Amino acid sequence: QVQLVESGGGLVQPGGSLRLSCAASGFTFSVYDMSWYRQAPGKERELVAAISKTGVRTNYADSVKGRFTISRDKTKNTVYLQMNSLIPEDTATYYCKASFVHDYWGQGTQVTVSS
């Protein structure tokens, strides 16, 4: 069974950091592009970061470029999102996505940035 299990969300002060994890199982991780999306209440879901199946190519939303880093570990079948210099506008539910012939989504993990 395909599963994407996200973890690492929580409450953090502005300027702080969080590292999100997405553990994949039930499919061949190495052939899937991976990405992180986020959605705040009342707003559309938006792409935050993406990484190619090889891990060589990455892409970031302008709003997070320079602050967030996406990476993947083929040994652990896990994709990460390192989030630094967090601001209140980063508050959202963050979702992991696997893309190949079919798309798979994680359940989401909440990130709240507040003082």
Side-chain angles (χ1 to χ4, degrees), residues 37-78:
Y37 286 72
R38 68 185 181 187
Q39 187 168 27
K43 298 186 180 297
E44 295 183 352
R45 188 172 298 186
E46 64 174 347
L47 177 67
V48 177
I51 187 167
S52 65
K53 58 183 65 67
T54 64
V56 173
R57 188 175 69 256
T58 59
N59 185 44
Y60 299 92
D62 288 341
S63 59
V64 307
K65 193 171 185 178
R67 299 188 297 120
F68 291 10
T69 302
I70 189 171
S71 61
R72 64 193 296 163
D73 186 332
K74 62 181 180 181
T75 302
K76 297 181 178 180
N77 286 357
T78 300

Side-chain angles (χ1 to χ4, degrees), residues 8-23:
L11 175 64
V12 65
Q13 294 184 359
S17 298
L18 285 174
R19 190 193 195 196
L20 306 184
S21 298
C22 174

